[in-house]
Amino acid sequence: NLEALKAVRLTSGKPLEFIVAVPGRRYNEFIDLLAPFHEQQCVTATQEVISEQAWNDLRLVVAHDPVTAATKTRQRNERIDALTRQADQWTGKL
C-alpha cells in the first residue's frame, strides 16, 4: 500500500503527501528502529512524547502516550489473568 501511495501524482505532477497511522507495537520491523527512542524518551515519560525518524525513505512520526500505554498494559494483563484462571479451571476438570 505504501508503494501505491508513493506512486500517486497530483494533477500538478507533485507527489501525493500522505499520513498513515499504525500502532508500532504490531510491527516487528519497528522494534530495532524504535528501541533507542523508547529507552531514552518513553520509559520515564510522564506525558506524550513525539519524535521523528527516517524509515524506508519516509518520514516516520512516532508518538508515545504513557497514560494510554499504561491502560493498554493493564487491559492486556487483565485478559491474561482471566485466561490463566480459565485454563486453571479447565485443567482441574481433566
Side-chain angles (χ1 to χ4, degrees), residues 7-87:
V8 173
R9 294 285 182 251
L10 303 175
T11 54
S12 65
K14 292 183 180 181
L16 175 70
E17 293 185 31
F18 60 91
I19 298 173
V20 177
V22 296
R25 67 185 173 277
R26 292 188 184 170
Y27 296 90
N28 290 334
E29 62 201 83
F30 292 136
I31 290 174
D32 292 336
L33 176 68
L34 298 179
F37 166 73
H38 185 266
E39 291 169 10
Q40 296 166 6
Q41 297 185 41
C42 300
V43 173
T44 59
T46 57
Q47 58 187 7
E48 185 176 38
V49 179
I50 299 174
S51 183
E52 187 175 313
Q53 310 252 342
W55 176 76
N56 288 352
D57 297 324
L58 295 171
R59 180 177 154 215
L60 180 64
V61 177
V62 183
H64 172 79
D65 179 2
V67 174
T68 300
T71 299
K72 294 290 185 186
T73 297
R74 180 183 49 76
Q75 291 170 343
R76 185 174 43 256
N77 288 338
E78 288 172 358
R79 284 191 302 258
I80 290 169
D81 290 344
L83 289 170
T84 300
R85 284 191 302 274
Q86 187 177 35

